[in-house]
Every structure is written in structure tokens, then in C-alpha cells.
Amino acid sequence: SSGINAEWPLRPGLPRDKQQIFYDLMKEYITAVIYSLVQLHSRLLKMLKANKKTLYMKGEISAERVEEADKLTVQYNKLMVNTTTLGEMLDVSLPDLPPLSIVDEDDCTANQNDGNANLSNTELWEDEDQRTFYRDILDLTGIIPQILYKKDKDKATKEQEEKKRRQQKEKKDDKKDDEGEITEETIEEEFKKLHIDDEDDDEEEEEVVQVTTQQATKDNSKDNNAATTTPPTSNSTITISNKAAMEMYLNKLSNISNRDLVNDAAQEFCLRLNTKTNRKKLIRTLYGVPRNRLDLLPFHARLVTTLAPILPDVPQDLFTLLKKEFLYHLRKKDQSNLETKVKNIRFIGELTKFEICEKSEALWFLRVLLEQFTHHNVEIACNLVECCGRYLFRSPETHVKTNHLLDQMMRKKTVHNLDSRQVTMVENAYYYCNPPDRVAYVKKDRPPLHQYIRKLLIKDLNKNNIEKVLRQFRKLPWKDDDVAMYAVKCLCRVWMVKYNNIYCVASLLSGLAQFQERIGILVVDNVVEAIRIGMEINQPQYNQRRISEAKLLGELYNYRMVESNLIFNTLYLIISFGLLPDGSNPIDPPTETIRIRLILTILETSGQYFEKGSLKKKCDLFLLFFQKYLLGKIQPLPIDVEYSVQDTLESIRPNIQMYSNISGVEEAIAEISPSLKGAFASVDQEESDTEEGSSTETEAVEQDESEENRGDDDDVKVNRKLEVVKCEEDDEFIKELEKTMTADISSRLTGTAKVTSTDLAIPMNQAFKEHKIEGNVMKFKVLLKKGSKQHFKQMDVPIESEFASNLFDKQKAVRKEREELKRLVLGHEQRQEAEELLAEQQESRNVGFLMRPNDRKQKPRKAPQLTTEMFNFNSSK
């Protein structure tokens, strides 16, 4: 109008002064309405925040507070709409009120959202099979004819009314729960409400029998012939067959073990056995599952769920029986029938996962158990949580309340005086439902060559492909320090390999050390250092690692990578590391047994080779110190450690003497130590030379000769080289000898007459026999010849005579010389066999042959038969 300089015509109405009055009244009204809107908004926000806080702290909200909040929300929304319309009409702007969604950003809800953060990332079921078992239920309404079950509108209406009545009851129960704790009176009231009408079954069964009897009477009155008795007989036969079929069906329920059998059982019951009496029998059978057949509960619960759409009274009556039994045992407070209680509560848990038992009921059971968290109630609560706790915890509608009850259970575990078994059960149940957060494993990025080395050692290496893996290791670029050090690192980390394949690593290393000697030295040094560091740190989480390292050290000795001195030094280090002068050991308390396990591992691995010579003596001495170390621990030892000690010692020393006190062990050590000290000092170098081996035959021969000389210093006489001194007597002797030889030669040339010999030939069976000594007389046999015959004559010569004594000394010298000659010949044969064995081993090493541990134990070969016969003489006095 201002653009065309014209005024709109005004309709006749109130004058302007009265309009102003009316406008002021409307403005005062909208101001009051806005004030009421602000007050209502503030009140509603406070109530919503209080409800959120209560939900977070208690896990539930009373029905009255929820209804009141809903009414205020509806009232606020209506007032907001009307006020907005009136403000637009009066051109009045409304104040900026914070939205109701700001409650979700409050601190308490923030904590709640933190608690539900993991819930959004987890599924309700563990895997697809579990989800299929609990959710893919066979729909019998599309299979069973509708005429076989009654499902009309009246029954559906009754079911809806029953649900409404149940919801009202739950609201009242929630109100009671909010007002205070669950008392015995509350449990008593719940128990009285549960009632099952069992009389109807008997009445119906009597009616069926009466009808059958009446029908038989009518049939008998209609026909007077004998054939008229057939109908009642057939009718009674049908009744008996139905009862027998029901008995067979109930017996088959104990063999249900998969979903298909459950579906078949449900169809069979609906098609053939669907009567009220049979339904009651079925409920009683399912309710009376044996207490030791907990494996049947999931399948029976699935059967009940399958029958629920057609036979709604079956799940309702079954749950009523289970709840009644639960409350009965709760009221009785007896400490017996634990298995029955566990079976009952786990059945309820299975029905909860099938949604036959409502989630609120399961949480109520858990809350009742937590109110009386003692004795059997602890195990019953843990079984309920293990059975359906994870399902309730992951369900959005019950997550908060379940989390609150689980936290309450953990607090009661701390407050109540529970034994260790119950504490473990509570913790297992809690962490099964709400597992702790785990940091995601970050895969380390490794070069391809490093990954290949790990694959060869960890995945590929086994007893069948050691040579193949060795060939691959030999192809590695060993000149590259990075690759070489990483290979050494992997070879030292033997705990990543299977325990039974550790000997394969030692075999691989023994073959590799022939071509890369520094690799073997580095691995041995690292293993010995790791054993020492493990004793310094002494952390239980590294115990398995330390056992594997000790196993590798023993296998390295079996493959001749280390000497026996290193093994015994390590064994003594294990029992003495950290020992103080007063006998205490702060890093090895009397209750620790890991060092015992380390020693047993080494002895089990390489103790079989400490059976001969000085190694046997060294091992026997160490076993005495080991017994002293064992007696220093708190007795008795753990049963597994004690059995391990007995088995190990029996395998390496079956006849070992076990001491029961430290004093006996110390006396044995004092007796054996001085005699072995000198022997150990003299054979240490011998053992090192023997175990290291030699590269040439000359070195092997020198080594064996040195071992022979060291081992028999008392028996072998060393013949020194004498110096020749010229003298006149020697010249004269030489001249006379030349004359004699010249005369003999000349006489032979001239052909002088043959001189008749007067000597008699001694028979071979008497040539090497020694003269017998009886008393003070030496027996002689004199050979005489009379004509052409020879005969012996016995002659006794006193032992005191010069002739007999000289002959006795001569026999003794000859006997000793023969024994010495026998020992030297046998020693020469043994050295020759050793040279041949060393040559064979050297030849096998050159072709890359991997020696097995049993090569260390060589069976002594027998002496040749000719040598035995050569020295077969009597060794009498």
C-alpha cells in the first residue's frame, strides 16, 4: 500500500483503543504461556536426566517414573505447538529452549555410551551356527494341518490379555524392586502365585476311559452275536497303542542331538500324539531331565520353542515348573542337590536365549541370587551367567541392567569370604560375558628374506626335511651382516619352534656350522647368555622360553656343537647362581622350581651320554650337588616336579642312592670330591681333545696315543732312549764275534760231518704249561728217552732252592710281559678302529651328512678271535 500511496479499507470492528486493550491482554497471556512452557521444559529436562542417571546407576527405571515422563513429554509437545502458533499470530518470538536430546549428551549418558561402545561392534551370537540354532526355528503352522490344533480368535484374544496382564505384573514387580531389596516375603509371594492344575489331567483321562467303556456297552447291546465284541476290543487296543507310542516317543527324547532330530520330534508329536494328557507327560519328561545330562537342555529348549506357536501351554507350564523349583530351593536354603539346581537354572538360561523365558525374568533370577550370594547360590549364579549372560549383555534392551548386575557380582566377590574355587568361577563367568579389551595385534612389516627365514624355521622345519632346509639356509647371503644376524636371532629364538622339533634346529645348526663356523659360535654364545639372563630376571612369563633354551643347549651337545665342560658348568651355574655366603639366594627362593625344571631338561636331553669314563664320575658328583639343592627347597616338592625328578634320575642312573637329609649328601660329597679332583684335572684336556675331533688322520692318532698315555700312567712303562758309550770291551767282543762267524762259515763250506743233536723236542701240549706249586714244593716233569720212546718223570723240587726260585721269578716275568703285550696289541687294534671311524665321519661330513645324536654312543667291538686265542693262558699264581 505504501508503494501506491493508498490505504487498505478497514473492516468495521473494535475501535483502536479497545484493540490496544485486547492486544495487551493477549500479550500478557502469551507471556504467561511462555513462562509455563519454560517451567515445563525445565521440569521435563530434570526428570529425563534423573531417569538416565537412575538407569545408569541401577540398570532399571520404575514404571511410574516412565509414565510420568511420557505424560510430561506429551504435555510439553502440545503446549509447544500451541505457543508457537499463538506467537506467530501475535508476532511474538519464543525463547530458545535447549532440545530434549541434550540429555543424551550429559555426563552420565556419556559414561553409558562408553559402556555401550563395544556393544555396537559385537554381534549377539558367536557365529552363524549358533545364530541358526537359536533363531531359525521350524514353522509348524505351515506344515501341520490347522484341524489338528485349536487356534481361533478367542484363544488369540486370551493370549493377548494374558500378555497385558503379565506386563502389568512386571511393572508392579519393578516398582517393588525399586522400593527395596528382595526379601523372603517377596519370594514366598511369588512361590504361592505359581500353581499348576494337575487334577484336570486325571479327570480328562477318566473321561476318556469312561467314554470308551460306554461305547463298548452300547455296541454290545446293539449286537447279540459273538462278533459284536470286536469293536470294544479294537477301541481298547487303540488306547494301549497310543500309550505305548507316547512311551517310545519320550524315550527317544534322550537321544536328540541335532536340529533335524528336534524338528522331526516336534512334527511327530503334533501329528500323532497331540492330546492334553500327552502334553502334560511331555512337560513332565522335559522337566525331569537327568541332572547329569546338561547336553540335552539346548535341544529340549529348541523342541519347546518349536511347539510354542501351536501348543502355547507347553512352554508356559514348563517355565512355571522350573521357576517353582527354583523358588523352592531358594526358600529351603539347603546345601544339597547342587547338580539339580544347576540343571534347573541352565534350563532357564536356554529358554531365555530362545525367548521363551523373558529377559526380565532371567535378570530377576540373577538379582535374587545376588541378594543371597553364598554357598550354592554362587555356583547357580555363575551357571546362569555362563549360560545366558553373554546373550543378555549383548542385547541392547538389557545391556545396561546386565552390566550393572555383573558389576554387583564382582563387588560381592570382593566383599564376601569366598574360597578360591568360587572366586575363579565368578571371574570366569564375568569375563565370559564381558571380556576385557585387547589391543589389536599389529603385524610387523618384515623384508621378504626375513619372512622366508622365519617360514623355514617355524613352519617348514621337521624331522623329514632337515637336509632340504639346510640346503636353503646355505644359499642365504651370509656375507650380508643384516641377514646373518637375523638368521642367528631366529635360530636362538627356539621357543617359536615346536618343542618336539628343537632337536631339528640343533641338527640344522650342526650341518650349517661346517660351512659357516661363526654362525654356530654366535648361536651357542647367545643360548648360554640367555640362560644366565633368565636367572637374573627370573620372571614367570619367561619360564617356557627358558625351558626351550635349556633343551636346545642339551641338543647342541648331542650334535657335538659344545663340550661336556660347558654342560656341567651350566648345570653348576644353575644351582649356584645368586647364592650368598650365608646360603640364602634372593633370586631363587625356596618355593621356586623353575631351576629344577631347567636341570631336568638338560639331563633328560643329554644325560644318556654321561655313562662311561670320567663323564660318568662328573655326572655322579653333580647329582650329589643336585640332591643337596633339592633338599634346600621347601619339602615336599610339587607332585609334578617330584615325579619329573624321579623319572629323570631313574632314566640316567637307575641305581642312584637318594638321600633324605643334607648331612648325608655332604658326607658323600666329601668322600668323593678328593678322589675325583685329580682325575678330573688330568682328563679335562683329554675330553676336550676327544670331543672336538680332528681334521686329519695324524691328529687322530696323536690324540688317541695321548689319551692312552694319560689314562694308564700307572701301568705303562715308558722306555727311554739310552746313550751309546764306546769302550775297549766292545771292540774285543766285535773281533771275537767276527772270528766265530768266519770259522762257522768256513766249516760249512768244507762240509764237515753232521753233529747228532742230543736235545729232545718238547710236545706242544706241554710247552706253555707253567709248573705247579703245591705247598712248599714245585712240581717238575722231566722228559726222558728210552730207545725210541719218550716218557715223563715227576720230580719235586723245594721252593726254597735256587733253581725253583729262579724259575718262579722267570715265569712271573714272562706272565707280566705277555699281559703287557696283550694290552698293547688290543690298544693298537682299538686305535686302528678309531682311525677308520674318524675317516668315515670326515668323509660323511664332506658330503654334507648330518650326524644323528645316537652316533655319540658307539658300541665297543669285540677283539678278533685270533688275538683272544693268542693270549689264552692260565693266570694262576
Side-chain angles (χ1 to χ4, degrees):
S1 62
S2 60
I4 61 176
N5 295 323
E7 294 183 359
W8 289 100
L10 296 176
R11 293 182 180 181
L14 295 175
R16 287 191 175 277
D17 55 350
K18 291 185 179 180
Q19 288 181 4
Q20 186 65 33
I21 295 172
F22 184 75
Y23 179 77
D24 293 339
L25 289 175
M26 293 299 296
K27 201 168 185 179
E28 290 178 1
Y29 175 75
I30 196 172
T31 302
V33 172
I34 292 174
Y35 178 78
S36 300
L37 180 65
V38 172
Q39 293 294 327
L40 183 60
H41 179 269
S42 177
R43 181 183 173 189
L44 181 58
L45 278 181
K46 289 182 179 179
M47 179 169 288
L48 292 177
K49 289 182 180 180
N51 290 348
K52 289 290 183 180
K53 187 175 181 180
T54 303
L55 181 63
Y56 176 73
M57 297 299 296
K58 300 183 64 176
E60 56 187 357
I61 309 173
S62 64
E64 291 182 354
R65 294 181 65 85
V66 174
E67 291 179 0
E68 186 177 357
D70 293 340
K71 290 180 181 179
L72 287 179
T73 302
V74 173
Q75 186 179 355
Y76 169 77
N77 291 333
K78 289 183 179 180
L79 184 59
M80 186 67 181
V81 172
N82 295 333
T83 306
T84 302
T85 305
L86 184 60
E88 291 176 354
M89 294 175 61
L90 298 177
D91 195 17
V92 176
S93 60
L94 300 180
D96 295 332
L97 299 177
L100 298 179
S101 59
I102 195 174
V103 179
D104 297 332
E105 300 175 0
D106 199 9
D107 293 337
C108 64
T109 57
N111 295 331
Q112 180 180 350
N113 291 335
D114 293 340
N116 294 338
N118 295 330
L119 185 63
S120 60
N121 298 328
T122 57
E123 297 183 357
L124 188 62
W125 308 105
E126 292 298 319
D127 49 28
E128 185 63 22
D129 291 339
Q130 190 181 29
R131 189 200 65 79
T132 303
F133 183 80
Y134 286 102
R135 285 295 174 264
D136 292 352
I137 306 299
L138 179 66
D139 186 11
L140 293 179
T141 56
I143 300 176
I144 306 302
Q146 192 173 6
I147 195 173
L148 296 179
Y149 62 92
K150 297 179 181 180
K151 189 177 181 182
D152 51 359
K153 295 182 179 180
D154 296 337
K155 192 170 184 179
T157 304
K158 291 181 180 180
E159 290 179 358
Q160 292 179 358
E161 293 178 355
E162 184 68 23
K163 288 183 179 179
K164 291 182 180 179
R165 198 179 306 114
R166 189 183 303 166
Q167 291 176 358
Q168 294 177 359
K169 178 182 177 182
E170 290 175 358
K171 292 179 180 179
K172 293 180 181 180
D173 294 341
D174 292 338
K175 181 178 178 181
K176 292 180 181 179
D177 294 343
D178 293 333
E179 292 176 355
E181 298 180 354
I182 298 176
T183 60
E184 295 183 0
E185 291 77 7
T186 307
I187 298 174
E188 187 71 25
E189 293 178 0
E190 287 289 334
F191 183 77
K192 291 180 179 179
K193 292 178 183 178
L194 298 175
H195 180 68
I196 298 178
D197 191 4
D198 295 334
E199 296 179 358
D200 296 340
D201 301 342
D202 300 333
E203 292 177 0
E204 183 183 3
E205 190 170 358
E206 290 176 0
E207 290 177 359
V208 173
V209 174
Q210 289 176 2
V211 170
T212 305
T213 306
Q214 292 176 3
Q215 185 67 27
T217 306
K218 292 180 181 179
D219 293 337
N220 290 331
S221 62
K222 288 181 181 180
D223 298 327
N224 296 325
N225 298 330
T228 57
T229 59
T230 304
T233 305
S234 60
N235 197 356
S236 61
T237 305
I238 293 174
T239 305
I240 295 174
S241 63
N242 287 337
K243 187 179 293 185
M246 188 61 189
E247 293 295 332
M248 294 175 58
Y249 176 82
L250 296 179
N251 292 332
K252 289 192 299 183
L253 292 180
S254 59
N255 298 324
I256 293 179
S257 59
N258 55 52
R259 289 176 293 176
D260 296 336
L261 294 178
V262 172
N263 297 337
D264 295 341
Q267 295 182 41
E268 180 182 358
F269 184 82
C270 293
L271 291 173
R272 297 176 52 195
L273 305 170
N274 186 12
T275 63
K276 188 172 183 180
T277 304
N278 290 343
R279 289 199 296 270
K280 294 298 181 180
K281 290 182 179 180
L282 176 63
I283 293 171
R284 290 291 180 182
T285 303
L286 297 176
Y287 169 73
V289 178
R291 61 179 183 272
N292 57 349
R293 293 298 305 274
L294 299 181
D295 57 302
L296 295 176
L297 299 182
F299 302 103
H300 286 182
R302 181 180 172 88
L303 176 62
V304 173
T305 308
T306 307
L307 296 174
I310 294 180
L311 308 174
D313 56 334
V314 173
Q316 293 177 4
D317 294 346
L318 178 61
F319 176 70
T320 303
L321 286 173
L322 294 174
K323 186 176 180 180
K324 186 175 182 180
E325 183 182 3
F326 172 80
L327 295 177
Y328 169 75
H329 289 296
L330 199 66
R331 291 167 56 241
K332 192 175 180 181
K333 296 181 180 180
D334 60 337
Q335 302 306 315
S336 59
N337 302 324
L338 176 61
E339 294 181 352
T340 303
K341 298 176 184 178
V342 171
K343 182 262 296 184
N344 179 75
I345 201 65
R346 293 190 75 92
F347 208 160
I348 293 175
E350 293 294 338
L351 293 176
T352 303
K353 288 191 284 188
F354 281 104
E355 296 184 351
I356 297 299
C357 171
E358 298 185 3
K359 299 175 184 177
S360 59
E361 289 283 351
L363 293 176
W364 184 82
F365 290 145
L366 180 58
R367 184 174 180 183
V368 170
L369 293 170
L370 292 178
E371 291 291 338
Q372 304 176 11
F373 201 62
T374 56
H375 302 298
H376 285 180
N377 291 348
V378 178
E379 298 188 25
I380 298 173
C382 292
N383 279 275
L384 177 61
V385 172
E386 289 178 357
C387 187
C388 64
R390 180 178 289 185
Y391 170 75
L392 297 174
F393 183 80
R394 294 184 177 182
S395 299
E397 60 272 13
T398 57
H399 171 72
V400 177
K401 189 171 183 179
T402 306
N403 190 21
H404 170 71
L405 292 176
L406 291 176
D407 294 339
Q408 183 180 355
M409 183 174 67
M410 293 298 289
R411 290 194 298 268
K412 286 183 176 291
K413 179 206 71 171
T414 307
V415 174
H416 290 67
N417 187 20
L418 303 179
D419 57 18
S420 58
R421 183 181 62 86
Q422 292 177 336
V423 170
T424 304
M425 292 180 62
V426 172
E427 292 178 351
N428 291 342
Y430 177 82
Y431 290 114
Y432 177 77
C433 296
N434 187 15
D437 296 333
R438 296 180 180 178
V439 180
Y441 175 73
V442 179
K443 187 177 181 180
K444 187 181 295 185
D445 188 13
R446 297 185 178 90
L449 190 56
H450 290 186
Q451 296 181 15
Y452 182 65
I453 294 174
R454 291 174 62 89
K455 174 182 175 296
L456 288 177
L457 278 177
I458 300 175
K459 295 183 179 180
D460 297 346
L461 183 62
N462 55 57
K463 64 180 180 180
N464 299 323
N465 60 358
I466 299 177
E467 296 182 1
K468 179 181 177 181
V469 175
L470 175 60
R471 288 194 295 268
Q472 299 299 320
F473 261 82
R474 289 177 58 189
K475 295 177 183 178
L476 295 177
W478 294 104
K479 294 182 179 180
D480 187 355
D481 292 339
D482 183 26
V483 176
M485 291 301 102
Y486 187 79
V488 171
K489 178 181 177 182
C490 293
L491 288 170
C492 294
R493 293 191 170 187
V494 72
W495 57 88
M496 297 189 300
V497 185
K498 292 182 179 179
Y499 186 79
N500 294 332
N501 289 341
I502 291 180
Y503 78 93
C504 300
V505 178
S507 178
L508 173 66
L509 189 61
S510 67
L512 185 62
Q514 299 177 14
F515 306 96
Q516 303 292 334
E517 185 177 358
R518 68 182 183 118
I519 301 300
I521 297 174
L522 290 175
V523 172
V524 172
D525 290 344
N526 290 340
V527 170
V528 176
E529 184 65 20
I531 293 176
R532 185 182 183 91
I533 292 175
M535 290 187 291
E536 292 178 356
I537 299 176
N538 197 26
Q539 294 294 332
Q541 60 265 29
Y542 300 128
N543 286 352
Q544 187 60 44
R545 179 180 303 184
R546 296 168 64 184
I547 294 292
S548 301
E549 292 168 349
K551 175 75 172 178
L552 178 61
L553 181 62
E555 293 293 349
L556 289 176
Y557 174 77
N558 296 346
Y559 286 94
R560 296 191 178 183
M561 291 290 295
V562 298
E563 301 177 2
S564 61
N565 289 337
L566 180 60
I567 298 295
F568 285 107
N569 290 341
T570 305
L571 292 174
Y572 281 110
L573 179 66
I574 293 174
I575 64 177
S576 62
F577 185 79
L579 193 64
L580 298 180
D582 58 353
S584 61
N585 196 335
I587 51 181
D588 184 31
T591 56
E592 288 281 345
T593 60
I594 179 60
R595 294 196 183 187
I596 301 176
R597 298 180 187 274
L598 293 177
I599 294 173
L600 295 178
T601 302
I602 296 176
L603 292 178
E604 287 176 358
T605 306
S606 57
Q608 55 183 328
Y609 303 120
F610 303 148
E611 295 180 352
K612 294 182 180 180
S614 60
L615 294 180
K616 181 178 183 300
K617 297 178 181 179
K618 282 188 176 183
C619 185
D620 292 340
L621 180 60
F622 171 75
L623 292 179
L624 292 177
F625 284 101
F626 182 49
Q627 291 190 48
K628 182 179 178 181
Y629 176 76
L630 291 176
L631 294 174
K633 295 293 183 179
I634 294 180
Q635 301 295 329
L637 295 172
I639 190 67
D640 57 334
V641 177
E642 185 176 355
Y643 285 160
S644 299
V645 171
Q646 293 176 0
D647 295 341
T648 303
L649 296 182
E650 184 178 356
S651 62
I652 61 176
R653 293 294 184 272
N655 300 325
I656 188 173
Q657 180 180 359
M658 299 298 294
Y659 295 89
S660 59
N661 50 25
I662 297 180
S663 60
V665 180
E666 291 178 347
E667 291 178 0
I669 293 173
E671 292 177 0
I672 195 174
S673 295
S675 60
L676 293 179
K677 187 179 297 183
F680 290 162
S682 63
V683 298
D684 281 342
Q685 184 64 30
E686 172 190 346
E687 291 177 1
S688 62
D689 294 340
T690 305
E691 293 172 354
E692 287 176 359
S694 59
S695 59
T696 62
E697 295 181 0
T698 305
E699 292 177 353
V701 172
E702 293 176 355
Q703 174 185 349
D704 293 334
E705 290 177 354
S706 63
E707 291 175 359
E708 189 70 29
N709 293 335
R710 290 191 188 96
D712 303 301
D713 288 341
D714 297 335
D715 298 332
V716 178
K717 295 181 180 179
V718 180
N719 297 323
R720 296 184 180 179
K721 206 168 185 179
L722 301 178
E723 297 180 359
V724 179
V725 180
K726 294 183 178 181
C727 57
E728 297 179 357
E729 289 79 3
D730 295 337
D731 296 337
E732 294 177 357
F733 175 76
I734 292 173
K735 291 179 181 180
E736 294 294 333
L737 180 61
E738 290 178 354
K739 290 180 181 180
T740 306
M741 295 297 293
T742 303
D744 183 66
I745 291 173
S746 60
S747 64
R748 289 178 180 274
L749 292 175
T750 55
T752 56
K754 185 176 179 181
V755 179
T756 304
S757 176
T758 58
D759 294 335
L760 298 178
I762 301 176
M764 291 298 296
N765 58 350
Q766 300 292 334
F768 297 99
K769 286 188 177 181
E770 295 184 356
H771 301 288
K772 298 181 179 180
I773 299 176
E774 296 181 0
N776 296 328
V777 177
M778 178 178 288
K779 299 289 186 178
F780 284 92
K781 287 184 179 181
V782 181
L783 179 60
L784 301 175
K785 185 175 182 182
K786 187 175 181 181
S788 60
K789 296 183 179 180
Q790 296 179 354
H791 64 279
F792 294 95
K793 183 179 181 181
Q794 190 75 22
M795 185 176 64
D796 297 336
V797 179
I799 194 63
E800 293 85 2
S801 63
E802 183 178 359
F803 175 75
S805 61
N806 292 338
L807 185 59
F808 178 75
D809 294 340
K810 184 178 179 180
Q811 289 181 358
K812 187 175 181 181
V814 171
R815 188 187 308 115
K816 187 174 182 181
E817 184 179 359
R818 287 179 177 176
E819 291 178 356
E820 182 66 17
L821 182 61
K822 178 181 178 181
R823 191 185 65 81
L824 292 176
V825 173
L826 293 178
H828 177 72
E829 291 182 356
Q830 291 178 357
R831 285 195 300 272
Q832 188 176 1
E833 293 176 1
E835 292 173 6
E836 294 175 359
L837 181 61
L838 287 174
E840 293 176 359
Q841 292 179 356
Q842 184 66 26
E843 183 180 356
S844 63
R845 288 178 180 174
N846 293 333
V847 296
F849 176 71
L850 296 178
M851 184 176 58
R852 299 298 176 185
N854 55 8
D855 292 341
R856 181 179 290 274
K857 297 181 67 177
Q858 303 169 2
K859 296 183 179 179
R861 299 182 180 178
K862 296 182 179 179
Q865 186 176 4
L866 180 59
T867 307
T868 306
E869 294 176 355
M870 183 185 302
F871 298 100
N872 186 15
F873 56 88
N874 296 328
S875 58
S876 58
K877 294 182 182 180

